[in-house]
Every structure is written in structure tokens, then in C-alpha cells.
């Protein structure tokens, strides 16, 4: 496994890897962008990439432009050595670990703004967050030029923003969305879970519990968003230490509110547990085809 931190070095390595094997066709490249502090959720993306692509590239970059001034950029967990070990175990070909100066040279003033979706859900709570995400992913796509890029369902709003960016700007990449990986008790895996104390870890389970309660209701035929929201809210209120940021029943592509989920929809939650902001969601499928 090659660990490369400069852009021109990465491009040179990929030129070689694409051409290896003597095939007249270039080999497919799968890309897994991450911020490191890797866990089994990230691993599932790497496994999917390894299964479907000839060459697998992962990036580890804690992107400063997607953090607000009062957010956790400086204390975000950085575990590069363990991360590289895991990626090597999963037979990743190249890990790209750029510095912030390489990604944002002095004077850089070009950004990607995906208007509309970027102001909804996490974008409403974290102004500028999705501008940072779209800009860094656009840059990474230009640098790596993947055929397939792998993302987790866990970050549902990010998927909506990036799908729209790919469509609007004609990136020649196919986005592959992998299911949310959970701890055995249901908590969605997240690099930020390591901020939680034992008591907060217990309280954090209420996010999944709230989603499950609403999903069960929907499975039993309750399609009114207001009723699903009420159930989510009352489940979360049973854990008073958890402070809700948003509860939403929305169209997963536009992130706009739905009144009815008979044709499917996304249930999404963001909440603070202590000082840690956690997100989770579940996709409801349309029952009409069953
Ligand atoms: P991050 O390192 O948090 O920026 O995440 C990198 C990628 O891993 C994103 O596509 C996330 O959606 C994905 N991811 C994070 N947590 C999970 C999880 N629990 N299950 C599946 N994918 C995840």
C-alpha cells in the first residue's frame, strides 16, 4: 500500500496503477474519501470498493473548511497509524493524506456551492458546512478521477448535496451508497462516538430508538409525517439530557419536508449528547411495489 501526501505524486501513482495488467482498457478506480479515525463504517466502504474496482484509493483529510469556528476541528480524532493499518489489511492500493496547505494553497478563493440542499438539515445548523464538503470532494474527485466513489448512508444530507454536485457539474463518477454500519445495540458508528462518556453513550442510543419507533409505525401503515415526527420527538424526550437539533421527515434527494411517506422518505435526526453532535437516519421504502 502506498501512502502519498502530495497531489502530483498521487497522480503519477494512479497513472501507473490504472495501466497495470496489460489490459488495453484502463482499470477501474474506486475512491473512499474519509476524515480518518476509521471504524467499521469506513471499512464497509473500503470492502465495497475492493469488491467492485480494480484499484482502491482512500483519502484521509480532516477538512478545515467544513468546520465552523466553534466546532471540533482542532480536537477531531487523528489516528493515522491505526487507520493506515486497517486500510492495508483491507488491501487498499493507495492512501492519500494531503496537508491543508496542499489542498488550500494560500490565496485559494474558489468554492463549490450547491445551492438549496446545502442550506437544509445539517446545512441549516452548520452554515458553510456543505460548501466545505462540496469543495473538498470536488477537488478530491479532480485529483483522484475515480470511476466510483463510496459514501455512507449515515450522512444522508451529504449524499443529497454531493449527488446534486455530481449531476450539476457533470463529474464522470458514479456514487455508490453503502448502508449505515451500527454497533450491536444499534448506535450508528461515528468517529465522534469516542467523545462520549459511558453515560452519554447510553443516552446516544435514543437517536436510533426514535428512528426505530417511527419506522415501526410507518411499517404498520402510519404514513403521516406529523405522526412519525411526534413519535420521534416523544422517544427522544424520554432521554432529557439529549438536546434535539433537528427532526425531519424529508425527500432524500431534495431534503425538503414531506407530509406523507406512502411513497417512501427519509427520517433524520441530529441531536447533542453532552457537547457531541450526533446524526442518524433511516430510509423508508415505498410499499407500493410490495
Ligand atoms: P467521515 O470520515 O466521517 O467523513 O466519513 C467518511 C465516509 O464514511 C462518509 O461517506 C460517511 O458517510 C461514511 N460513514 C461514516 N460512518 C459510517 C457508518 N456508521 N456506516 C457507513 N458509513 C459511514
Amino acid at each position: 500500500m502506498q501512502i502519498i501526501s502530495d497531489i502530483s505524486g498521487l497522480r503519477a501513482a494512479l497513472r501507473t496503477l490504472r495501466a497495470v495488467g496489460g489490459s488495453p482498457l484502463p482499470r477501474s478506480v474506486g475512491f473512499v474519501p474519509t476524515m480518518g479515525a476509521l471504524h467499521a463504517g469506513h471499512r464497509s466502504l473500503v470492502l465495497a470498493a475492493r469488491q467492485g474496482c480494480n484499484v482502491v484509493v482512500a483519502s484521509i483529510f480532516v477538512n478545515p473548511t467544513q468546520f465552523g469556528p466553534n466546532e471540533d476541528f482542532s480536537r477531531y480524532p487523528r489516528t493515522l497509524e491505526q487507520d493506515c493499518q486497517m486500510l492495508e489489511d483491507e488491501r487498499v492500493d493507495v492512501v492519500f493524506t494531503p496537508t491543508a496547505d496542499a489542498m488550500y494553497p494560500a490565496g485559494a478563493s474558489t468554492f463549490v456551492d450547491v445551492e438549496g440542499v446545502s442550506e437544509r438539515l445539517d446545512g441549516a445548523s452548520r452554515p458553510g458546512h456543505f460548501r466545505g464538503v462540496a469543495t473538498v470532494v470536488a477537488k478530491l474527485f479532480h485529483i483522484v478521477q475515480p470511476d466510483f466513489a463510496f459514501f455512507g448512508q449515515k450522512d444522508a444530507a451529504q449524499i443529497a448535496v454531493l449527488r446534486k454536485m455530481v449531476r450539476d457539474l457533470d463529474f464522470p463518477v458514479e456514487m455508490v451508497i453503502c448502508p449505515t454500519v451500527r454497533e450491536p445495540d444499534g448506535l450508528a458508528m461515528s468517529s465522534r462516538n469516542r467523545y462520549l462518556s459511558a453515560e452519554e453513550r447510553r443516552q446516544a442510543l435514543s437517536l436510533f430508538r426514535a428512528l426505530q419507533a417511527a419506522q415501526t409505525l410507518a411499517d404498520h401503515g402510519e404514513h403521516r409525517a406529523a405522526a412519525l415526527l411526534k413519535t420521534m420527538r416523544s422517544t427522544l424526550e424520554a432521554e432529557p439530557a439529549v438536546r434535539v437539533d433537528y427532526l425531519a421527515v424529508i425527500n432524500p434527494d431534495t431534503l425538503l419536508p414531506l407530509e406523507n411517506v406512502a411513497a417512501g422518505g427519509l427520517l433524520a435526526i441530529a441531536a447533542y449528547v453532552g457537547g457531541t453532535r450526533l446524526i442518524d437516519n433511516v430510509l423508508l421504502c415505498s410499499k407500493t411495489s410490495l
Side-chain angles (χ1 to χ4, degrees):
M1 186 177 80
Q2 301 180 62
I3 302 172
I4 300 177
S5 56
D6 68 299
I7 295 172
S8 56
L10 182 84
R11 287 192 162 131
L14 281 171
R15 256 194 307 277
T16 306
L17 283 166
R18 265 182 229 277
V20 168
S23 153
L25 291 174
R27 305 191 318 147
S28 63
V29 174
F31 177 44
V32 182
T34 82
M35 297 207 300
L38 302 183
H39 50 66
H42 299 108
R43 188 198 303 271
S44 73
L45 307 184
V46 170
L47 289 175
R50 185 70 282 168
Q51 204 160 30
C53 304
N54 301 116
V55 178
V56 177
V57 182
S59 63
I60 297 176
F61 179 58
V62 185
N63 174 35
T65 65
Q66 70 189 67
F67 287 80
N70 299 317
E71 294 183 356
D72 56 344
F73 172 70
S74 54
R75 73 179 187 116
Y76 195 84
R78 289 158 171 89
T79 59
L80 186 62
E81 207 171 306
Q82 291 108 289
D83 292 350
C84 287
Q85 188 59 58
M86 188 233 262
L87 297 173
E88 180 150 44
D89 292 346
E90 299 304 344
R91 296 181 300 118
V92 165
D93 296 289
V94 182
V95 186
F96 182 46
T97 57
T99 60
D101 288 346
M103 290 299 278
Y104 300 108
S109 62
T110 306
F111 300 91
V112 178
D113 251 317
V114 185
E115 293 181 359
V117 280
S118 288
E119 284 92 56
R120 298 172 195 144
L121 296 196
D122 308 280
S125 314
R126 306 179 65 188
H129 171 65
F130 285 128
R131 180 165 109 145
V133 170
T135 301
V136 79
V137 173
K139 286 173 66 71
L140 290 167
F141 281 178
H142 285 308
I143 295 165
V144 176
Q145 301 189 7
D147 301 286
F148 299 90
F150 296 78
F151 295 91
Q153 176 59 40
K154 157 104 182 339
D155 295 84
Q158 171 170 285
I159 293 168
V161 169
L162 295 178
R163 271 198 200 289
K164 190 150 196 314
M165 178 188 83
V166 164
R167 199 168 51 235
D168 289 356
L169 296 183
D170 303 295
F171 280 91
V173 60
E174 186 171 322
M175 287 183 52
V176 181
I177 310 305
C178 301
T180 300
V181 175
R182 298 179 179 283
E183 301 284 359
D185 62 5
L187 181 70
M189 291 201 178
S190 164
S191 304
R192 291 189 168 98
N193 288 351
R194 59 184 83 199
Y195 297 151
L196 302 172
S197 67
E199 173 60 8
E200 289 167 347
R201 168 71 181 72
R202 191 192 61 70
Q203 295 163 351
L205 255 189
S206 61
L207 276 76
F208 180 58
R209 217 178 283 133
L211 292 168
Q212 267 190 318
Q215 183 168 31
T216 304
L217 213 56
D219 288 346
H220 286 86
E222 175 56 86
H223 292 151
R224 292 169 304 168
L228 302 179
L229 285 167
K230 193 169 163 209
T231 295
M232 290 201 277
R233 186 169 300 283
S234 63
T235 310
L236 281 165
E237 277 170 1
E239 204 63 79
V242 173
R243 188 163 57 84
V244 173
D245 178 4
Y246 65 70
L247 295 178
V249 178
I250 45 189
N251 175 312
D253 297 320
T254 63
L255 306 183
L256 288 169
L258 292 173
E259 289 199 351
N260 188 290
V261 297
L266 180 77
L267 309 176
I269 296 180
Y272 288 90
V273 181
T276 305
R277 185 175 179 279
L278 299 177
I279 57 172
D280 199 354
N281 69 84
V282 298
L283 268 175
L284 301 176
C285 300
S286 159
K287 293 285 179 287
T288 48
S289 57
L290 293 179

